[in-house]
């Protein structure tokens, strides 16, 4: 029986003129009757360096088995993966954000060149999931996402620990609060297995967003890695993608503006990663939907209902047991649009109604929130006329309103050295600039400096402002994405040591208290710092990606 001409793979399997194409497919060991089956990509970033990617080894064969059982023909394709944890604190972090768009581009090339009919995306850490989402929406073939699974939390003296705690212990060691032997002991306990780190950083925020978009099965984003439940979910997703191909249900058939508004509400409700202000706009862009920093400001009244590490002691395992994403949808059903259909065939409302909401202290009811407004806060003002972002849920309330003298550094390394040498005084505002997309280049995360702030005790009195990014696992009074960045002549380039900076996380303001006439003199005398770049970073700098539109490559 000839294949449905609606399948893209028809272009490489059918017709006399495709004889050479079929010959190449036969070289892979497939049989002639397989040519009538829909060809499904299993999109993987599996490698041996990234703990989240190693977890994909367990699920990839389960996915393929499901595809085969449902009558599809699976082929695994691979893309790159970067672990932001391993890339922290050195030049390697400059490559993390550019990797997102390279991942999207590489998947687009593979899916389009080989005319796949559908795809299962094995989503995992940091930039891999948003890159895969961008590719799925760009290519727009039937797609389903299978998150790799969450790492178990570590245990130190009966206390749950995650990788974000680990970095704070470094600060405690540097300030003499723990000894070297203790630090080494904690190192070996913090990550007891593979999977995405068990806190609400970028990886798990983006995995949850896959569920909220309706592109992943319920509870899939919070399941523990390498478990029978995760294997069953992967098998089910493999079977489901074949049906989605038969029915020709594409991402564009499921997603609309309200879908992305839901992801913003979700992120604010759980105190998710600040990186979402880059990723959600970039993903929406692929469908021609405009989301920007002002969109996050628009939904700031979303209640904050789930305090997950690093905001509190509870980990992703606790969040899953409490009910996970479906319970969040159920709590917020009055303010979210849950009429969106998902890859299951159900609506988000159906999934919310079926949620097993087991812990209403871990995941609060909308009318009994931790706070009445969201975990992220957009800031505007003379220091950030185009906006900045802070994870307010991770900042002590006594630091929500703060004014202090600027301590200015032109790189993260300089700021780290200053803290190690005890040169930063309590009450200051540390300014780290020339770390933006162009100035960095690459817009590094400032995770190491934020962890040192908290571990050294300065996080209770000293703020951080940067045109770089903040890790999803950062906590404390840390403000990132200050725009325009220093390299493009933003106000942050003109700050001098001792200038007073005012921060108000209630009003959403970030002000540089320097008279306009003084700023004008400084601007006339300003000479930008240009950091050497090569390869992909050199090309990235030339493209001048803008955080306001998700730092996409246009």
């Amino acid at each position: 029986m000839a294949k449905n001409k609606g399948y893209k793979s028809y272009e490489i399997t059918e017709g006399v003129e495709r004889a050479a194409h079929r010959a190449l497919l036969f070289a892979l060991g497939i049989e002639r009757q397989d040519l009538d089956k829909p060809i499904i990509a299993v999109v993987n970033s599996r490698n041996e360096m990234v703990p989240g990617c190693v977890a994909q080894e367990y699920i990839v064969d389960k996915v393929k088995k499901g595809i085969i059982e449902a009558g599809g023909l699976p082929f695994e394709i691979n893309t790159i993966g970067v672990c932001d944890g391993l890339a922290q604190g050195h030049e390697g972090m400059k490559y993390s954000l550019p990797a997102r768009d390279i991942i999207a581009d590489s998947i687009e090339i593979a899916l389009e060149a080989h005319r796949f009919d559908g795809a299962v995306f094995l989503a995992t850490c940091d930039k891999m999931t948003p890159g895969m989402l961008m590719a799925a929406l760009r290519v727009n073939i039937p797609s389903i996402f299978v998150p790799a699974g969450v790492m178990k939390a570590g245990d130190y003296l009966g206390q749950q620990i995650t990788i974000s705690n680990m970095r704070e212990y470094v600060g405690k060691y540097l300030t003499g609060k723990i000894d070297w032997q203790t630090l080494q002991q904690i190192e070996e306990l913090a990550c007891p297995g593979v999977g995405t780190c068990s806190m609400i950083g970028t990886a798990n925020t983006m995995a949850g967003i896959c569920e909220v978009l309706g592109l992943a099965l319920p509870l899939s984003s919070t399941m523990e890695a390498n478990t029978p439940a995760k294997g069953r979910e992967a098998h089910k997703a493999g079977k489901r993608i074949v049906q989605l191909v038969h029915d020709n249900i594409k991402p564009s058939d499921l997603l609309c503006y309200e879908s992305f508004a839901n992801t913003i509400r979700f992120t604010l409700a759980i105190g998710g990663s600040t990186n979402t202000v880059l990723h959600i706009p970039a993903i929406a862009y692929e469908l021609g939907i405009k989301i920007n920093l002002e969109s996050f400001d628009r939904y700031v009244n979303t209640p904050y209902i789930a305090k997950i590490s690093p905001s509190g002691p509870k980990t992703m395992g606790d969040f899953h047991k409490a009910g996970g994403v479906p319970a969040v949808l159920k709590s917020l059903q009055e303010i979210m649009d849950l009429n969106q259909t998902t890859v299951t065939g159900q609506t988000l409302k159906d999934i919310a109604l079926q949620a097993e909401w087991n812990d209403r202290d871990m995941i609060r009811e909308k009318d009994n929130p931790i706070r009445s407004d969201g975990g992220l806060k957009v800031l505007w003002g003379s220091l950030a006329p185009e906006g900045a972002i802070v994870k307010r849920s991770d900042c002590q309330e006594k630091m929500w309103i703060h004014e202090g003298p600027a301590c200015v550094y032109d790189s993260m390394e300089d700021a780290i050295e200053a803290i190690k040498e005890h040169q930063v005084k309590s009450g200051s505002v540390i300014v780290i600039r020339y770390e933006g997309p162009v100035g960095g280049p690459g817009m590094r995360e400032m995770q190491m400096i934020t962890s040192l702030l908290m571990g050294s005790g300065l996080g209770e009195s000293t703020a951080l402002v940067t045109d770089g990014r903040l890790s999803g696992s950062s906590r404390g009074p840390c403000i990132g994405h200050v725009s325009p960045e220093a390299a493009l002549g933003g106000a942050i380039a003109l700050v001098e040591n001792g200038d007073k900076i005012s921060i108000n996380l209630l009003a959403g303001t970030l002000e540089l208290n320097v008279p306009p006439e003084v700023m004008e003199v400084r601007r006339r005398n300003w000479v930008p710092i240009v950091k050497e770049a090569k390869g992909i970073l050199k090309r990235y700098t030339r493209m001048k990606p803008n955080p306001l539109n998700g730092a996409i490559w246009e």
Side-chain angles (χ1 to χ4, degrees):
M1 183 176 70
K3 182 180 293 187
N4 184 333
K5 289 188 177 181
Y7 289 168
K8 292 179 77 170
S9 62
Y10 182 93
E11 299 174 33
I12 62 171
T13 63
E14 301 300 318
V16 65
E17 69 277 15
R18 310 299 183 191
H21 300 71
R22 290 191 293 273
L24 290 168
L25 292 174
F26 291 142
L28 301 175
I30 70 170
E31 299 181 12
R32 189 168 293 275
Q33 59 265 31
D34 291 332
L35 297 177
D36 289 332
K37 299 173 182 178
I39 297 179
I40 310 297
V42 180
V43 184
N44 204 342
S45 57
R46 180 168 49 172
N47 62 65
E48 295 182 341
M49 189 67 176
V50 182
C53 294
V54 171
Q56 294 172 328
E57 290 187 33
Y58 178 74
I59 60 176
V60 65
D61 289 335
K62 315 282 187 187
V63 170
K64 290 178 183 177
K65 182 180 178 183
I67 292 170
I68 292 168
E69 288 180 3
L73 185 62
F75 289 98
E76 184 178 352
I77 65 172
N78 282 78
T79 186
I80 60 170
V82 174
C83 174
D84 280 16
L86 290 171
Q88 289 289 350
H90 52 77
E91 291 290 295
M93 177 49 71
K94 293 182 177 181
Y95 292 87
S96 173
L97 185 57
R100 182 197 68 184
D101 294 68
I102 292 172
I103 289 166
D105 291 349
S106 67
I107 296 170
E108 175 195 0
I109 290 169
L111 294 181
E112 292 285 24
H114 300 131
R115 313 315 284 160
F116 282 100
D117 299 308
V120 180
F121 292 85
L122 307 189
T124 179
C125 302
D126 303 311
K127 309 308 171 287
M128 287 169 261
T129 301
M132 288 180 176
L133 282 165
M134 290 167 67
L137 274 58
R138 186 185 303 171
V139 177
N140 198 32
I141 58 176
S143 301
I144 193 167
F145 279 70
V146 180
V150 178
M151 181 188 293
K152 286 183 180 179
D155 185 300
Y156 177 61
L157 301 178
Q159 175 186 349
Q160 291 193 102
I161 56 174
T162 69
I163 195 67
S164 61
N165 303 120
M166 184 66 245
R167 296 195 180 97
E168 290 179 21
Y169 281 116
V170 173
K172 291 181 180 181
Y173 168 74
L174 291 172
T175 53
K177 295 177 182 178
I178 60 173
D179 60 24
W180 177 241
Q181 185 178 1
T182 300
L183 180 61
Q184 287 184 310
Q185 181 183 7
I186 297 168
E187 287 175 14
E188 297 177 13
L189 297 172
C191 299
V194 298
T196 54
C197 298
S198 190
M199 44 86 181
I200 197 67
T202 304
N204 290 322
T205 303
M206 293 307 305
I209 282 172
C210 291
E211 277 193 62
V212 176
L213 288 172
L215 297 178
L217 300 181
L219 290 173
S220 62
S221 68
T222 52
M223 286 182 183
E224 190 176 301
N226 289 8
T227 59
K230 176 53 72 173
R232 288 190 292 270
E233 175 229 325
H235 179 255
K236 184 177 180 180
K239 295 180 73 172
R240 182 61 186 159
I241 187 60
V242 178
Q243 188 61 51
L244 291 171
V245 171
H246 284 319
D247 296 339
N248 195 29
I249 297 175
K250 304 180 296 295
S252 62
D253 299 318
L254 302 175
L255 305 182
C256 59
Y257 176 85
E258 288 72 20
S259 305
F260 293 98
N262 285 340
T263 66
I264 295 173
R265 293 272 199 196
F266 169 75
T267 302
L268 294 171
I270 64 168
S273 171
T274 53
N275 281 309
T276 57
V277 304
L278 296 174
H279 299 326
I280 293 175
I283 296 162
Y285 173 86
E286 300 294 345
L287 288 182
I289 297 171
K290 185 176 180 181
I291 300 289
N292 54 30
L293 204 56
E294 291 179 346
S295 306
F296 283 78
D297 219 10
R298 191 177 311 142
Y299 298 107
V300 72
N301 63 339
T302 303
Y304 175 43
I305 62 170
K307 187 183 281 286
I308 312 167
S309 175
S311 301
K314 299 295 183 70
T315 65
M316 287 301 297
D318 299 311
F319 181 57
H320 179 73
K321 292 173 186 174
V325 174
V328 174
L329 297 177
K330 190 168 187 176
S331 175
L332 301 182
Q333 59 185 315
E334 294 178 3
I335 61 172
M336 294 177 76
D337 186 339
L338 301 186
N339 294 315
Q340 313 308 315
T341 303
T342 74
V343 290
T344 67
Q346 296 177 301
T347 65
L348 290 174
K349 185 174 183 179
D350 295 329
I351 292 168
L353 291 174
Q354 296 166 11
E356 295 184 11
W357 191 356
N358 301 314
D359 185 343
R360 301 203 177 198
D361 183 54
M362 171 74 225
I363 300 174
R364 300 282 192 91
E365 295 182 20
K366 181 181 73 70
D367 296 329
N368 181 36
I370 300 164
R371 278 196 56 83
S372 60
D373 45 13
L376 304 185
K377 181 67 175 176
V378 179
L379 307 180
W380 311 91
S382 57
L383 189 53
E386 294 182 356
I389 190 73
V390 62
K391 196 171 184 180
R392 188 169 60 182
S393 59
D394 289 341
C395 178
Q396 293 186 10
E397 289 193 29
K398 67 179 182 180
M399 287 296 293
W400 284 16
I401 298 177
H402 177 73
E403 182 177 276
C407 295
V408 184
Y409 305 97
D410 292 330
S411 74
M412 181 183 66
E413 286 80 2
D414 290 346
I416 289 173
E417 198 60 34
I419 290 179
K420 286 182 178 179
E421 297 297 323
H422 308 289
Q423 295 173 0
V424 177
K425 294 181 179 179
S426 175
S428 302
V429 177
I430 299 171
V431 176
I432 304 178
R433 61 193 180 191
Y434 294 100
E435 290 286 5
V438 176
M443 203 178 187
R444 288 192 292 180
E445 290 182 348
M446 303 289 107
Q447 170 66 28
M448 187 162 285
I449 185 74
T450 60
S451 297
L452 286 176
L453 274 176
M454 296 307 298
S456 65
L458 284 172
E460 297 183 0
S461 62
T462 305
L464 168 69
V465 174
T466 179
D467 55 5
R469 292 186 295 124
L470 299 171
S471 167
S473 63
S474 294
R475 69 186 186 96
C478 303
I479 299 165
H481 302 213
V482 171
S483 296
E485 63 172 291
L488 298 181
I492 193 172
L494 308 179
V495 181
E496 295 184 0
N497 286 317
D499 288 349
K500 290 293 178 66
I501 294 175
S502 298
I503 299 166
N504 191 322
L505 305 192
L506 290 171
T509 56
L510 179 61
E511 302 289 353
L512 175 61
N513 299 322
V514 175
E517 58 272 18
V518 175
M519 291 292 286
E520 183 56 35
V521 172
R522 292 182 186 179
R523 184 168 297 283
R524 287 199 298 268
N525 296 325
W526 172 63
V527 178
I529 295 173
V530 179
K531 297 180 181 178
E532 184 179 353
K534 62 181 180 179
I536 187 62
L537 295 181
K538 189 173 183 178
R539 296 200 295 274
Y540 194 72
T541 300
R542 286 202 300 263
M543 286 184 282
K544 292 183 171 58
N546 190 339
L548 293 179
N549 64 3
I552 55 175
W553 299 15
E554 291 187 287

